[in-house]
Amino acid sequence: MTAAAGATAGLELLRVARQPALAQAESVEDHAYTICNFCSSLCNVRVTTRTRGGVKRVVKLDGNPYSTLNRGKMCARGQSGLRQTYDSDRIKTPLIRVEGSKRGEFAFRPASWQEAFAYIDRKTKAAAIKPFEWTMIGGWTSCVFYMNWAVSFALANEIPNIIASPMQHCVTTGHFGTDMVTGNFNIHEEVLADFDNARYILMVATNGGVGGVSTCRMVRFAAAKKNGAKVVALDPRRSETAAKADEWIQIRPGTDLAFCLAMLNVMLEEELYDDIFLARRTNMPFLVAKNAAGEWRLETDAEKRPLVVEEDSTEARALAAFGNDNFHDARGKPVQPALVAPEGLRVNGKPAITVMQAQMLEVRDFTPEWAARSTGVDAATIRRIAREFGTTRPAIIDPGWHGARYNSVLMLRRVQAMLQALNGGIDKFGGWIMGGEFHDKAARMYKVHAGGGEVSAPLTMLAGMPFAKMVVGAFSDGKNFSHGHPGWAWAWSAQQKAAGKPHVALPVMADTGLEESVKGKLMFGGEPYRTRALLINAANPVRHYYPDSRWKEILSSPEVELVVAVDVLPSDTTPYADVILPNSTYLERSEPTIYGNGVDHDLCYTTRYAAIDPLYETEETPDILLAMTHIISGAEDRFLETIDKLTGLPAAEVKEAYARAKSTGRRGPFSAACREVSFRETAKELDIDIAALDRELRQKGIYRKTDKATLLQTHAMPHVLPLPTDSGRIEFYAPLLAALRDGGHSAPNFNVLAGDVPVQCRPGKTAEAPLDRDEFYFAYGKVPTVSYASTNSNNPVIAAINQFRGEVYFGLWIHPDRAHPLGVATGDEIEITNALTGQSARGHAFVTRMVHRDVAFHHSSFGGENKALTRAFGLGTATNKLIPYQVEPVVAGFRSQEFTVKVAKTVEARPA
Ligand SMILES: Nc1nc2c(c(=O)[nH]1)N[C@H]1C(S)=C(S)[C@@H](COP(=O)(O)OP(=O)(O)OC[C@H]3O[C@@H](n4cnc5c(=O)[nH]c(N)nc54)[C@H](O)[C@@H]3O)O[C@H]1N2
Ligand SMILES: Nc1nc2c(c(=O)[nH]1)N[C@H]1C(S)=C(S)[C@@H](COP(=O)(O)OP(=O)(O)OC[C@H]3O[C@@H](n4cnc5c(=O)[nH]c(N)nc54)[C@H](O)[C@@H]3O)O[C@H]1N2
Ligand code: SF4
Ligand SMILES: [Mo]
């Protein structure tokens, strides 16, 4: 059906371009600027188009030469992006599942938009689906570009349920750990390390930034190499980054936290830190005492202000509850807080010490010798790395990117941030630098707060932890909805807690509880809290959530009355939809707003300009959400008002612009209306006229307001401005975790200070215990040519590159010393079995010395099961067939490598 029809239409297109009469006609070259859509690095892109015989085609994509983010460069995925637009497998019209077919079969008939929406409307009404019975699922595209619309849509339609796929994989498990220390929760855009100016770079469990290619990081890393920085990479596999490092340390998977805790131990014991920075800008000198439960808690005065002491005094002095300067007390008097409190100090009637001292006690036993056992790295090496990192300035420990993998990763990322803070390298040349837009947003938020006000548009104005707290508050509390239901993830957690069962403290946009809700096992207010309809936009859970079987079951469940998927390609999830709505690809759409330029150190603004008109019957996300609002609640005005309230885009103006755009019959009238108003508002804010802003953006793709050097002088956090943490300081002690502990969460994951968190790949066995002959730790990672679990491995250029070294990319990497005894050689078909759960998948072996002897490594990103993805179909091994459903207790981060696998040649392949 459509796949075949699609292929023909694709050929048709090529045929038009090749007609001899047209080939001779003049071709006109033009440029448009846009933002790449293949990863959250958000590279600025220059699009070259050629118009010939009235047909305008995108012919080349390049890094935007004016961009200080990606510096005119882009990666292979980005460059071949135009092939997504011209992919013959694209979804070209709305599709409705054929009557009598089952979900999963991919049997669809083309339909008009009107028909598709009428179908959704009929189903919604016939099944009487209530707003809280809807769940939205979005990937990073919908998160980053359309958050303002998606969150407003959810709240306006009273849908308390959103699963955002980057969260449990990435943002909440990984970045949130970093953010607990630095406060800058910013969804994929927290920190861009200033590799250019660093002399020492330590990479811990990370390859995606440099070797997997995030261009803005890679170009800076390349500069660092040229400048002679020393690079050390901790990876069980010789990743692209490890290959470029001066030192590759083959660490045993799941043990990086031990390595980093030992570094913390050495650096604290040997005083390898910037003591003035710690005393002045962090909570290291704050006083703590043990509570009745024997846990460290901050000591405060009656007004809840933190206390410090000076070296030669026992008098506790209160500091401002929020601020960035510990060298002045709450009354503005100079104070020199001690990092080590005088012996015998008592505060509020209890023996008290500083956070620094408490932290030293907590890591006392975590010596390099201790870490050597689990990591398999000798103690002398760990001690040497700690000393090198602690004495070379400026030094960077890369913050890491992907979270998940292990129970310990949130803590690992926290400890990495602490190590970085020990050398003072936060928001400083040669250290971690926050994005220009983030600086600007935080400064504006502080200004409003200083005036005693509340920010008017929380989605666009709240920066860092206050933003995270707002998101938690909005969906965790049933009082925000007239139906009284909080998100099912929160209801499920409460139900588990009441039953004394394991639960999750902050299931922020997580999937815990979805299955129970679908199966009618979740109760709320005495009634089942059901999920009966799913709206999936730019997400592919069947391939990228864990495990695939769980999602297939959820999506196939008869309890789920309606599944709507918005995508550009027939992903593995789309076969499970009842209706598929095709989105225009990024080269065919102008964005509904102007954005800050991601993690760019400069303060820049950017947007997308459509390079060509949409090739097919596709639509824009804001317009789809508006139509869905009409169906779900009929409250379109409330949708506009919610956008206004949350983002500051004036509803009346949008409404007027929308009516005008609609009357012209143009596509995406709502998106266009939002864009028009966004241009007007941004121009007002930047104090230039709209035409000038538009001209600059058309000619250069970015509008630069302030450069990095100026921003660091005026906005550096915490040097000049406070950080958006609870206290405004760098937080070694985490008040958020103290609050969760007081709420009853006792697992080591909630340690208020740095501490060990157990990883259980083989229950009952330590990391160093010998593995069985056919047993391996499992590790996965990104490949430079594929994005996420993405359909872009269907891209013909990418597919060709990947197949060129197929054994490397599609194979399971195992060491020859382990492969030979198993009789396994490169190219052999193998059965990979999860030793913990019995899940299994077929694959092929790649026998190589580039991997740790204990480890089986697989790239995580290839292929698809949907035959409609004609070039990706059947490639690689879906890692989510091996990964079980197990999450950690803080944010429901996936413990996606916490098991071992057994490897065997497939029986059929064995000679008789
Ligand atoms: N197997 C596997 N799973 C993973 C990962 C992995 O590498 N491998 N990575 C994990 C990580 S770190 C993250 S952050 C998440 C990311 O997960 P996602 O952000 O969801 O990323 P993708 O899997 O690339 O994209 C999901 C879907 O978006 C569609 N899409 C692409 N462009 C557009 C568009 O313009 N509009 C619309 N409507 N749809 C579009 C794709 O066709 C695809 O079906 O995945 C996590 N899960
Ligand atoms: N090409 C490409 N680049 C991307 C993306 C993409 O989809 N494709 N996505 C972007 C996104 S959203 C993310 S989250 C990042 C992800 O980027 P990263 O966070 O770097 O994640 P991965 O690439 O999955 O894995 C990084 C490395 O970790 C190693 N590793 C696995 N387990 C362990 C362990 O226990 N300890 C140590 N020390 N190393 C281990 C793997 O061998 C791999 O080389 O990439 C970003 N960049
Ligand atoms: S790093 Fe590559 S895929 Fe990511 S935004 Fe840049 S060009 Fe696109
Ligand atoms: Mo990610």
Side-chain angles (χ1 to χ4, degrees):
M1 48 115 292
T2 54
T8 330
L11 290 175
E12 224 43 88
L13 212 76
L14 294 172
R15 221 169 281 139
V16 170
R18 287 210 191 103
Q19 279 175 14
L22 293 177
Q24 282 156 16
E26 276 289 284
S27 92
V28 181
E29 196 168 285
D30 201 0
H31 297 292
Y33 286 94
T34 190
I35 310 168
C36 183
N37 201 53
F38 291 96
C39 87
S40 45
S41 301
L42 308 176
C43 287
N44 302 116
V45 177
R46 186 174 74 159
V47 187
T48 306
T49 54
R50 216 164 273 155
T51 309
R52 190 178 288 174
V55 181
K56 192 176 187 186
R57 268 184 79 90
V58 177
V59 294
K60 181 90 173 76
L61 304 182
D62 292 285
N64 175 348
Y66 303 104
S67 168
T68 45
L69 179 65
N70 49 305
R71 300 181 180 164
K73 305 279 196 297
M74 67 195 304
C75 79
R77 290 165 286 147
Q79 288 196 41
S80 50
L82 65 102
R83 296 295 194 122
Q84 184 194 61
T85 299
Y86 296 111
D87 193 322
S88 47
D89 295 339
R90 268 183 69 180
I91 300 164
K92 305 182 182 77
T93 67
L95 300 172
I96 297 177
R97 190 158 58 79
V98 172
E99 197 106 17
S101 68
K102 286 206 192 76
R103 290 199 193 119
E105 290 175 359
F106 206 72
F108 288 90
R109 64 180 170 86
S112 69
W113 279 92
Q114 215 175 4
E115 237 181 308
F117 283 130
Y119 179 92
I120 298 170
D121 189 39
R122 245 190 345 268
K123 276 272 196 169
T124 306
K125 306 232 154 92
I129 298 166
K130 302 182 190 86
F132 58 83
E133 293 175 335
W134 278 92
T135 287
M136 297 161 66
I137 304 170
W140 77 268
T141 292
S142 29
C143 226
V144 169
F145 294 107
Y146 304 109
M147 179 179 70
N148 292 357
W149 285 264
V151 171
S152 303
F153 169 82
L155 295 178
N157 288 293
E158 299 218 276
I159 299 173
N161 298 304
I162 302 182
I163 301 174
S165 61
M167 294 307 223
Q168 290 167 282
H169 293 274
C170 218
V171 175
T172 47
T173 0
H175 306 215
F176 196 53
T178 316
D179 305 338
M180 280 191 207
V181 178
T182 60
N184 59 339
F185 186 85
N186 204 27
I187 310 196
H188 273 136
E189 296 172 21
E190 6 282 282
V191 159
L192 177 54
D194 189 28
F195 294 130
D196 292 86
N197 296 300
R199 288 183 53 223
Y200 193 88
I201 298 169
L202 177 58
M203 297 288 193
V204 178
T206 192
N207 180 52
V210 171
V213 191
S214 157
T215 303
C216 58
R217 293 170 175 87
M218 194 268 279
V219 292
R220 285 164 175 80
F221 181 84
K225 287 290 293 176
K226 252 187 223 158
N227 296 340
K230 175 169 180 180
V231 178
V232 178
L234 258 62
D235 199 309
R237 154 188 92 108
R238 195 166 179 270
S239 67
E240 289 81 2
T241 308
K244 289 178 179 56
D246 298 279
E247 197 172 339
W248 167 36
I249 297 178
Q250 293 192 52
I251 190 167
R252 196 175 277 129
T255 66
D256 300 80
L257 177 59
F259 191 103
C260 289
L261 286 171
M263 283 185 69
L264 190 61
N265 170 307
V266 172
M267 289 173 69
L268 289 174
E269 290 291 339
E270 301 185 6
E271 300 183 15
L272 308 179
Y273 46 72
D274 179 340
D275 56 347
I276 296 179
F277 179 76
L278 294 187
R280 185 168 194 181
R281 309 288 185 198
T282 78
N283 67 8
M284 279 293 222
F286 289 13
L287 296 175
V288 288
K290 286 207 162 164
N291 66 8
E295 293 183 351
W296 296 112
R297 288 292 179 275
L298 286 180
E299 284 305 315
T300 58
D301 71 356
E303 289 170 56
K304 300 245 178 272
R305 296 179 302 197
L307 300 172
V308 295
V309 285
E310 291 190 305
E311 235 165 69
D312 50 1
S313 150
T314 52
E315 182 207 346
R317 306 262 299 268
L319 302 182
F322 185 80
N324 65 330
D325 185 11
N326 299 340
F327 283 5
H328 289 92
D329 72 8
R331 290 171 304 164
K333 294 240 165 71
V335 57
Q336 290 289 325
L339 288 171
V340 176
E343 198 119 5
L345 178 76
R346 293 184 74 85
V347 168
N348 298 335
K350 285 171 271 182
I353 56 176
T354 63
V355 167
M356 163 95 102
Q357 288 173 295
Q359 184 63 77
M360 287 178 77
L361 286 174
E362 290 289 311
V363 298
R364 197 176 36 189
D365 297 334
F366 304 144
T367 59
E369 287 69 23
W370 166 82
R373 284 201 292 277
S374 57
T375 58
V377 182
D378 64 278
T381 302
I382 301 175
R383 189 166 276 115
R384 175 174 54 81
I385 299 292
R387 287 177 181 157
E388 285 176 8
F389 179 77
T391 54
T392 315
R393 305 273 165 82
I396 287 173
I397 179 167
D398 187 85
W401 198 336
H402 186 36
R405 300 190 202 277
Y406 299 107
N407 195 28
S408 59
V409 167
L410 191 82
M411 179 64 88
L412 169 66
R413 300 310 189 198
R414 245 179 101 199
V415 175
Q416 287 176 237
M418 293 180 189
L419 293 173
Q420 185 66 28
L422 284 186
N423 75 20
I426 306 278
D427 239 6
K428 204 166 140 179
F429 280 91
W432 291 6
I433 298 184
M434 294 165 216
E437 191 220 0
F438 187 73
H439 279 128
D440 181 59
K441 194 156 57 171
R444 291 201 282 155
M445 174 178 80
Y446 296 146
K447 214 167 172 179
V448 176
H449 287 168
E454 290 270 328
V455 300
S456 55
L459 268 189
T460 49
M461 293 279 293
L462 282 179
M465 282 303 187
F467 173 81
K469 286 183 180 172
M470 182 266 300
V471 174
V472 167
F475 295 102
S476 63
D477 190 350
K479 290 199 197 79
N480 295 326
F481 304 94
S482 67
H483 49 66
H485 289 64
W488 42 248
W490 301 89
W492 173 83
S493 238
Q495 176 174 299
Q496 288 285 105
K497 190 178 177 187
K501 290 189 189 154
H503 57 289
V504 174
L506 301 168
V508 185
M509 300 195 176
D511 73 346
T512 41
L514 173 63
E515 193 178 15
E516 290 77 1
S517 171
V518 165
K519 292 182 174 166
K521 290 184 191 158
L522 173 63
M523 300 297 287
F524 183 78
E527 307 233 333
Y529 184 167
R530 291 188 186 279
T531 293
R532 299 170 65 225
L534 302 171
L535 173 59
I536 306 170
N537 186 9
N540 187 11
V542 168
R543 196 78 181 181
H544 76 210
Y545 257 75
Y546 308 134
D548 67 331
S549 52
R550 176 183 163 96
W551 277 88
K552 287 176 182 165
E553 204 185 314
I554 287 172
L555 291 164
S556 309
S557 167
E559 307 292 323
V560 174
E561 300 276 352
L562 182 59
V563 180
V564 179
V566 186
D567 210 306
V568 292
L569 279 159
S571 73
D572 283 3
T573 303
T574 53
Y576 293 86
D578 300 309
V579 182
I580 307 176
L581 303 176
N583 200 188
S584 307
T585 63
Y586 70 116
L587 298 173
E588 302 166 304
R589 61 185 194 238
S590 296
E591 291 296 281
T593 188
I594 294 186
Y595 304 99
N597 200 30
V599 78
D600 198 344
H601 291 157
D602 294 343
L603 173 57
C604 298
Y605 296 88
T606 188
T607 188
R608 285 190 173 123
Y609 285 88
I612 53 168
D613 289 336
L615 297 174
Y616 307 109
E617 290 304 311
T618 54
E619 249 314 342
E620 312 278 330
T621 291
D623 289 82
I624 292 171
L625 293 179
L626 186 67
M628 290 298 296
T629 299
H630 182 73
I631 293 170
I632 294 173
S633 67
E636 286 112 314
D637 280 353
R638 192 163 67 215
F639 181 31
L640 265 60
E641 284 151 20
T642 311
I643 295 172
D644 186 344
K645 202 168 101 196
L646 296 181
T647 76
L649 209 60
E653 291 182 38
V654 173
K655 197 170 176 178
E656 183 271 328
Y658 176 52
R660 235 184 317 109
K662 213 169 147 190
S663 71
T664 65
R666 61 161 297 164
R667 207 187 300 224
F670 181 52
S671 183
C674 293
R675 181 180 175 88
E676 181 187 318
V677 179
S678 170
F679 264 78
R680 207 182 296 155
E681 291 293 301
T682 310
K684 222 189 292 172
E685 214 174 275
L686 296 171
D687 199 22
I688 54 170
D689 67 62
I690 302 172
L693 177 62
D694 182 52
R695 199 178 327 114
E696 185 80 359
L697 287 171
R698 277 180 194 278
Q699 287 174 357
K700 292 192 170 158
I702 49 172
Y703 178 87
R704 178 168 297 102
K705 192 172 172 215
T706 318
D707 67 14
K708 163 185 175 182
T710 311
L711 277 167
L712 286 183
Q713 268 174 26
T714 54
H715 287 61
M717 298 186 278
H719 306 275
V720 185
L721 297 176
L723 283 161
T725 53
D726 272 13
S727 69
R729 286 84 164 181
I730 298 263
E731 291 184 338
F732 284 82
Y733 175 101
L736 174 68
L737 292 174
L740 295 177
R741 283 234 140 177
D742 291 342
H745 294 276
S746 57
N749 310 58
F750 297 88
N751 198 331
V752 295
L753 295 166
D756 197 18
V757 177
V759 168
Q760 293 257 299
C761 292
R762 297 176 290 160
K765 286 190 185 163
T766 55
E768 61 273 27
L771 292 153
D772 290 347
R773 194 169 154 270
D774 58 349
E775 186 183 25
F776 299 82
Y777 286 104
F778 181 69
Y780 61 82
K782 316 268 194 204
V783 63
T785 46
V786 179
S787 297
Y788 308 105
S790 175
T791 47
N792 83 322
S793 59
N794 199 55
N795 182 310
V797 177
I798 292 287
I801 299 174
N802 295 337
Q803 263 146 28
F804 180 60
R805 289 306 305 274
E807 74 279 17
V808 178
Y809 292 145
F810 311 142
L812 184 77
W813 296 28
I814 47 177
H815 196 278
D817 292 356
R818 302 291 311 283
H820 293 157
L822 300 175
V824 169
T826 293
D828 282 354
E829 198 190 45
I830 48 173
E831 186 83 24
I832 313 163
T833 309
N834 181 323
L836 200 64
T837 64
Q839 288 165 278
S840 74
R842 286 275 163 102
H844 290 89
F846 173 53
V847 178
T848 172
R849 291 182 189 281
M850 294 191 296
V851 67
H852 192 295
R853 279 177 180 73
D854 291 352
V855 177
F857 169 87
H858 206 289
H859 282 111
S860 65
S861 340
F862 284 100
E865 286 182 342
N866 188 353
K867 285 195 172 130
L869 278 176
T870 54
R871 282 167 296 271
F873 175 71
L875 284 185
T877 300
T879 45
N880 72 344
K881 287 193 188 303
L882 292 167
I883 298 172
Y885 193 78
Q886 41 182 26
V887 298
E888 56 79 72
V890 184
V891 290
F894 290 117
R895 291 158 56 194
S896 49
Q897 288 186 178
E898 233 174 294
F899 55 88
T900 54
V901 292
K902 300 255 179 168
V903 174
K905 238 167 138 161
T906 54
V907 177
E908 303 94 282
R910 277 199 194 116

